[in-house]
């Protein structure tokens, strides 16, 4: 309530709660109705208190995904202070999710959410919020979803220490900024532009012609342009460019922010990498020349758009960026590449169009059509590839290898790596061993490395699972053995035990002490599970307690481990 003190009013008692609820409601309403304006791009501050140096930028092409943020160097060490780039609240805390290691998500009233990844540790306040969430929800999963009231933060507030957790090979901060409403990945450069120095233009290494039914230098095969040679073409030809951006004071190379291709002064293609839907991450394999990358580790980015590629930052003319050399004359082409700061490089070249007498040999391989659902069947194997999983018509070469000592034959659908946009359905027929009493629900699908891709047993004698890579080899495996749990150790206030599984892998676990739920964390990159007793409800009294640890693998085999310990 409000109480009058002197000439003013003061919130007292339950009024504080009402005030906090009003502030939270105001924040949510502002978030839902906010329409970002250009001025908001300059409202964020640097997440570190020293000069920003980048190890990676936004949109760099990687196999199966774009680099979704900025990799900010932390001077080669862990433990640097990380700060909130703007006002907001901690909306999510995760550990071991999506390769991010320890990560903090901050939702801002300006319509964006900033994500800070590979952290060594959280601030004490954020750490307490994570534990509170786990215990209140009875979950070991370190994925806390918070409300605006739980952990509000202000710009420049300390939130974590930098680290090297998750899919990180050296200490750094991976910073992402998402559109809160759509969750599209946004280029953090546009929000931190004032804090990054860059006067170095991109560099073009090579240009490649990729015929699309036409010929280049008399051949339908891809051809790398050579500046000292005259080049000829006829019919439809696409082009791709291998280029990198650079910055002063760094040996790293970065992705290209903007690419334009002009033909006779008219723009036929443009890419401006600033807004990427997360659901379209794997379309990087279509925009990039993935087959060439497999052999050379060089990303040639296509300057034409395949029919199933719907990346919104790619634009092209009515020919989708493909050049139709249909008049006997010189065609004048020019590439213009820019980084976010506007530093640019230009490269012009000429191609003479003249008819080619090359005869195309037509083969009839199995084809995955980009505009429909595809089904490929072989004895004992069926693959269903739904619509939208390939960006262009794609040939495949199914290979079935007989394996009489296994639960099934081995199947492969491409002799080289062929990743799909999303999951396809693979069904494999069971071939039981000659003797034994088996529970067929314990069958699952593995690849050539023994990694489980899951699987559901059908009573008609098939197991169906999901796959994304057609170049891997798949077969059935059997697992009826539960995980193994090693005895606990108690060091100080930390309980530890070791869990291993030689088959389908650990899935879920749950622990209780004296019948009451207690959190055990899976320690990243190890087989250790640990319980921080100081962060639990249990208090040190020097008495005996009973631990029950229950763990399941992915075939639902269960192991229960019970023991007593003094604390």
């Amino acid at each position: 309530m409000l109480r009058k003190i002197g000439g003013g009013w003061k919130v007292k008692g339950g009024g504080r709660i009402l005030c906090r609820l009003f502030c939270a409601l105001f924040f949510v309403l502002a978030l839902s109705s906010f329409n970002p304006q250009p001025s908001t791009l300059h409202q964020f501050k640097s997440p570190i208190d020293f000069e920003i140096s980048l190890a990676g930028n936004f949109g760099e092409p990687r196999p199966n995904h774009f680099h979704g943020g900025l990799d900010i160097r932390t001077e080669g060490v862990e433990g640097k202070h990380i700060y909130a780039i703007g006002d907001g609240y901690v909306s999510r805390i995760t550990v071991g999710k999506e390769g991010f290691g320890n990560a903090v998500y901050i939702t801002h009233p300006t319509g964006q959410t900033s994500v800070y990844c590979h952290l060594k540790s959280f601030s004490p306040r954020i750490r307490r919020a994570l534990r509170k969430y786990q215990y209140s929800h009875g979950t070991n999963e370190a994925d806390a979803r918070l409300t605006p009231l739980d952990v509000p933060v202000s710009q420049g507030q300390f939130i974590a220490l930098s680290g090297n957790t998750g899919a990180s090979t050296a200490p750094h901060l991976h910073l992402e900024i998402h559109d809160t409403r759509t969750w599209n990945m946004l280029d953090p450069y546009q929000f931190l532009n004032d804090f990054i120095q860059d006067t170095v233009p991109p560099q073009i290494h090579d240009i490649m012609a990729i015929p699309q039914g036409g010929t280049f230098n008399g051949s339908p095969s891809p051809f790398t342009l050579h500046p000292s040679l005259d080049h000829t073409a006829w019919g439809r030809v696409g082009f791709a460019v291998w280029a990198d951006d650079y910055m002063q004071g760094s040996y790293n190379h970065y992705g290209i922010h903007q690419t334009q291709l002009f033909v006779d002064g008219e723009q036929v293609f443009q890419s401006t990498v600033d807004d990427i839907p997360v659901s379209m991450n794997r379309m990087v394999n279509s925009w990039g020349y993935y087959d060439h990358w497999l052999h050379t580790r060089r990303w040639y980015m296509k300057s034409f758009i395949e029919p199933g590629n719907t990346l919104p930052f790619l634009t092209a003319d009515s020919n989708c960026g493909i050049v139709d050399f249909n008049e006997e004359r010189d065609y004048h082409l020019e590439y213009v590449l820019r980084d976010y700061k506007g530093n640019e490089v230009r490269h012009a070249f000429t191609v003479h169009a003249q008819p080619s007498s090359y005869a195309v040999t037509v083969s009839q391989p199995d084809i995955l059509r980009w505009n429909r659902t595809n089904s490929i069947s072989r004895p004992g194997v069926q693959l269903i590839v739904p619509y939208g999983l390939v960006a262009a018509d794609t040939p495949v070469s199914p290979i079935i290898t007989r394996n009489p000592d296994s639960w099934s034959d081995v199947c492969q659908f491409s002799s080289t790596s062929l990743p799909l946009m999303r999951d396809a359905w693979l069904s494999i027929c069971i071939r039981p061993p000659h003797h034994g009493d088996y529970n067929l629900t314990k069958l699952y699908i593995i690849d050539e490395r023994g990694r489980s891709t899951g699987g559901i047993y059908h009573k008609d004698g098939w197991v169906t699972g999901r796959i994304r890579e057609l170049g891997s080899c798949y077969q059935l495996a059997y697992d009826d053995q539960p995980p193994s749990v090693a005895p606990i150790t108690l060091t100080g206030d930390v309980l530890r035990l070791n869990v291993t599984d030689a088959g389908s892998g650990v899935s879920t676990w749950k622990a209780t002490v004296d019948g009451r739920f207690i959190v055990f964390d899976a320690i990243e990159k190890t087989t250790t599970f640990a319980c921080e007793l100081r962060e639990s409800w249990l208090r040190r009294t020097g008495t005996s307690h009973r631990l029950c640890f229950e763990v399941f693998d992915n075939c639902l085999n269960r192991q229960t481990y019970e023991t007593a310990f003094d604390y």
Side-chain angles (χ1 to χ4, degrees), residues 54 57-58 187 189 193 196-203 244-248 254-260 271-273 336-345:
L54 298 183
N57 72 340
F58 179 79
D187 188 351
Y189 214 130
N193 182 39
I196 303 173
Q197 302 299 316
D198 180 10
T199 59
V200 182
Q203 180 179 339
D244 290 302
D245 191 21
Y246 299 90
M247 298 177 67
Q248 62 265 35
Y254 312 98
I256 304 299
H257 174 67
Q258 185 178 77
T259 301
Q260 294 173 294
S271 62
T272 304
V273 189
V336 181
L337 278 60
R338 298 184 182 89
D339 62 21
Y340 192 85
K341 289 287 191 178
N343 304 305
E344 73 172 40
V345 62

Side-chain angles (χ1 to χ4, degrees), residues 126-298:
I126 293 175
R127 176 82 173 183
R128 286 194 298 270
L130 172 63
R131 286 293 184 233
K132 180 179 178 181
Y133 180 92
Q134 289 175 300
Y135 279 103
S136 64
H137 289 78
T139 178
N140 291 294
E141 186 176 24
D143 188 354
R145 310 297 179 106
L146 308 182
T147 72
L149 289 177
D150 292 323
V151 188
V153 296
S154 57
Q155 185 177 75
Q157 184 172 339
F158 168 69
I159 58 171
L161 294 177
S162 67
N164 190 28
T165 59
S168 172
T169 57
H172 72 284
L173 169 67
H174 175 79
L175 174 69
E176 293 189 1
I177 297 181
H178 292 253
D179 182 299
T180 302
R181 182 177 58 85
T182 66
W183 205 242
N184 285 8
M185 299 180 291
L186 307 177
D187 188 351
Y189 214 130
Q190 62 185 306
F191 302 94
L192 302 177
N193 182 39
D194 294 342
F195 304 97
I196 303 173
Q197 302 299 316
D198 180 10
T199 59
V200 182
Q203 180 179 339
I204 295 175
H205 305 303
D206 265 324
I207 296 169
M208 181 178 292
I210 308 175
Q212 302 294 298
T215 61
F216 195 85
N217 287 346
S219 170
S221 301
F223 189 94
T224 301
L225 278 65
H226 194 284
S228 64
L229 298 179
D230 295 327
H231 299 289
T232 62
W234 191 253
R236 291 166 56 83
V237 178
F239 291 88
V241 60
W242 170 35
D244 290 302
D245 191 21
Y246 299 90
M247 298 177 67
Q248 62 265 35
S250 172
Y251 293 103
N252 291 73
H253 54 82
Y254 312 98
I256 304 299
H257 174 67
Q258 185 178 77
T259 301
Q260 294 173 294
L261 176 61
F262 296 87
V263 178
D264 296 331
E266 297 292 329
Q267 179 177 294
V268 299
F269 172 86
Q270 177 174 310
S271 62
T272 304
V273 189
D274 54 8
D275 187 324
I276 306 175
V278 172
S279 62
M280 298 182 184
N281 232 331
R282 290 173 74 89
M283 283 189 181
V284 68
N285 297 331
S286 167
W287 181 29
Y289 191 0
Y290 183 78
D291 288 344
H292 190 79
W293 177 86
L294 283 175
H295 298 97
T296 66
R297 294 302 189 262
R298 296 172 180 172

Side-chain angles (χ1 to χ4, degrees), residues 530-564:
C531 175
E532 298 278 355
L533 294 175
R534 286 178 302 176
E535 299 175 353
S536 74
W537 51 265
L538 188 63
R539 297 294 174 262
R540 184 185 286 274
T541 60
T543 57
S544 180
H545 302 277
R546 191 74 183 172
L547 169 70
C548 179
F549 187 90
E550 187 178 51
V551 57
F552 290 85
D553 65 18
N554 284 291
C555 284
L556 299 182
N557 300 303
R558 180 180 65 181
Q559 180 70 270
T560 301
Y561 171 80
E562 295 188 68
T563 190

Side-chain angles (χ1 to χ4, degrees), residues 311-326:
L311 286 169
F313 60 81
L314 303 180
T315 58
D317 62 2
S318 58
N319 286 329
C320 298
I322 296 171
V323 183
D324 191 358
F325 295 96
N326 56 12

Side-chain angles (χ1 to χ4, degrees), residues 502-522:
S504 55
V506 173
S507 175
T508 60
W509 65 94
K510 184 176 181 179
T512 60
V513 170
D514 301 334
R516 185 175 176 183
F517 171 78
I518 198 163
V519 171
F520 265 81
D521 297 316

